[in-house]
Amino acid sequence: MEGQYSEKVMEHFRNPHNVGDMPDADGIGHVGNPVCGDIMELYIKVRDNIIVDAKFKTFGCGAAIATSSMVTDLVKGKTVDEALKVSNKAVAEALGGLPKIKMHCSVLAEEALRSAINDYFKKHPKK
Amino acid sequence: MRKVYLDHNATTPVDPLVLEAMLPYYREYFGNPSSIHEFGRLARKAIDDGRVSAAKLIGAKDVDEIVFTGSGTEADNFALKGAADALKQKGNHIITSAIEHHAVLNVCKALEKSGFKVTYAPVDKSGIVKLDELKKAITDKTILISIMYANNETGVIQPVEEIAKIAKEKGALFHTDAVQAVGKVPIDVSKLGVDLLSASAHKIYGPKGVGFLYIRKGIKPTPILLGGHHEKNRRAGTENVAGIAGFGKAAELALKNMDKDAQRVRSLRDGLEKGILSAIPHTYLNGHPEKRLCTTTNISFEFLEGESIILNLDMEGIAVSTGSACTSGSLEPSHVLTAMGVEAVRSQGSLRFSLGKENTEEDIDYVIKALAPIIERLRKMSPLYKG
């Protein structure tokens, strides 16, 4: 394996936070495809413009699962606008870094988050 | 914690008897085999003996048909680059297969850049090279056909003897990368009719850093390493004396114990395979069920990506691997499974279990028991799994 995972990545991989479905989600993000080896689904629940809950389901490698876990942790409690500023670098840094070849997983996590927020905006147009 | 190593196609532990045979050449018999004094002569004897054992293992008639190299990869490079260069006046077309190891595929890509034309023959669903397609690809410019003996990811064994015949009829040389097959299945180069054959020591309980290329008498691939007169001017560089002594011992042991080991390992492999396929739903065997090495099984776990399973198994002390995406450092699904028509999502979730002689029934039971809850847990995390 090119580059080893940090202890933080392994921690989130072993015991990922926020795994599961969210039938009453306010926004759903779906990114990736099986050819590149990663698919992420990210669900958010929003109350008064604050992300009160986030969950995910991920098909992918260790880094894909760890970044999904971390990004859902990071956005909980943030306003939607604050969450939009969470970058892939922030996710990777919070995990103590990622092997170079796995950086795309953090990009995917950022994209999944944006996709969920965009879906939320679409379903809840500002009045 | 119990440790279960099921990654023998990657590498094997050095047999204690092999290590025993090597150590004197690091200690008292450290001489350079090209030296004429006693130190040199003792080292030379080790190489001569190693060559005899290597020749016996593959049925080479003349020991000088064995040229020791630094690896299986070097043997493949020597065979392909060397034969292509030696025959470039005759033609510029090479045929290989879509499922070769990168030690062959990447050499072919390099040869394409320097003006050779390469056909990558397709395989069928079971992973066997399509002979009719291979035949159709042959032209009067075809100088070399290179098809592996057994695939490293699936263990599927190719119809090498038939391909050798086809090559002979058309006047092309035939090379086979037999790194995964040598020492595991009986090989007789004269019966097979191959011209060039690559092998590696560390796949058969020998040391890393030594391989050989069998070169049929009369064939002269252009050397790729230039320097001194080693290996009869075919591969320059002071010989890896201890490595060759170890390879010789490993070859001797492989030949002696082949039938016994194969029978035992096959029964363990079959037990593991049946255990997984029956205990875990949505699992599929990749590759021909019979025509393959007794050591290897490749299984797809649908809805999952291989690396996440490997990391979880590793936490239980179990070592397996995947030919897919993450471990190989590329993001593409396995080129072998893709060539067999396995769709990406099943290919990404494929694991290769490759067994060896030190594995036991307890190991297999342990793996089956550990695997089921891991798969269950990971599937609950997968957006593809609706079960």
Side-chain angles (χ1 to χ4, degrees), chain B residues 5-16:
Chain B
Y5 185 79
L6 298 181
D7 203 9
H8 292 79
N9 288 12
T11 195
T12 57
V14 173
D15 189 300

Side-chain angles (χ1 to χ4, degrees), chain B residues 36-284:
Chain B
I36 55 168
H37 45 60
E38 193 188 359
F39 293 88
R41 290 198 306 275
L42 284 166
R44 171 61 53 198
K45 171 117 188 3
I47 294 176
D48 291 346
D49 291 349
R51 206 183 306 278
V52 169
S53 301
K56 262 192 199 154
L57 182 60
I58 60 162
K61 287 203 180 104
D62 187 336
V63 292
D64 285 336
E65 291 176 319
I66 304 290
V67 175
F68 286 110
T69 63
S71 62
T73 291
E74 188 196 321
D76 285 338
N77 273 258
F78 183 15
L80 290 156
K81 282 189 193 169
D85 184 77
L87 298 171
K88 61 177 185 247
Q89 306 301 336
K90 217 184 129 210
N92 67 343
H93 182 229
I94 295 163
I95 301 173
T96 185
S97 82
I99 59 161
E100 297 298 310
H101 190 275
H102 286 108
V104 167
L105 283 182
N106 285 343
V107 177
C108 285
K109 279 183 195 154
L111 286 169
E112 281 184 285
K113 276 189 186 149
S114 55
F116 288 89
K117 296 207 165 15
V118 181
T119 302
Y120 300 88
V123 297
D124 63 19
K125 278 196 169 120
S126 66
I128 294 173
V129 171
K130 290 182 175 171
L131 289 183
D132 49 338
E133 300 271 346
L134 184 139
K135 272 187 212 162
K136 261 192 266 170
I138 298 176
T139 72
D140 55 357
K141 296 278 184 208
T142 307
I143 50 174
L144 176 67
I145 299 176
S146 177
I147 305 288
M148 69 199 328
Y149 199 111
N151 182 265
N152 48 308
E153 288 185 29
T154 61
V156 171
I157 294 174
Q158 302 300 323
V160 173
E161 199 170 345
E162 284 163 85
I163 299 169
K165 249 182 226 143
I166 295 169
K168 200 170 184 186
E169 275 167 26
K170 303 287 179 179
L173 284 188
F174 178 54
H175 165 249
T176 185
D177 170 359
V179 163
Q180 293 292 350
V182 165
K184 296 177 197 165
V185 293
I187 292 180
D188 183 338
V189 281
S190 44
K191 224 179 89 193
L192 279 178
V194 305
D195 299 305
L196 301 153
L197 177 145
S198 307
S200 174
H202 76 102
K203 308 290 193 195
I204 57 165
Y205 308 92
K208 291 162 188 68
V210 57
F212 72 69
L213 181 65
Y214 160 82
I215 305 174
R216 179 181 296 283
K217 210 174 183 176
I219 294 166
K220 291 191 169 56
T222 308
I224 54 172
L225 288 183
L226 307 177
H229 301 295
H230 313 90
E231 296 294 285
K232 298 205 186 299
N233 290 315
R234 293 172 295 182
R235 198 271 187 183
T238 298
E239 299 88 340
N240 177 358
V241 181
I244 290 169
F247 201 168
K249 190 67 185 179
E252 189 192 309
L253 293 171
L255 192 60
K256 195 173 106 190
N257 301 321
M258 196 181 295
D259 292 346
K260 185 177 66 135
D261 286 345
Q263 217 179 347
R264 215 178 63 80
V265 172
R266 182 186 302 277
S267 119
L268 291 176
R269 192 273 316 264
D270 290 347
L272 174 69
E273 190 171 282
K274 276 191 202 114
I276 293 172
L277 295 175
S278 64
I280 304 175
H282 307 291
T283 48
Y284 308 89

Side-chain angles (χ1 to χ4, degrees), chain B residues 330-367:
Chain B
S330 91
L331 305 173
E332 303 296 316
S334 149
H335 70 284
V336 175
L337 299 185
T338 302
M340 289 161 62
V342 178
E343 54 182 322
V345 66
R346 271 195 198 173
S347 167
Q348 297 283 16
S350 69
L351 289 191
R352 173 185 77 184
F353 302 83
S354 49
L355 286 70
K357 60 182 183 182
E358 79 282 6
N359 290 134
T360 62
E361 275 186 42
E362 289 74 32
D363 288 344
I364 301 308
D365 292 342
Y366 178 72
V367 173

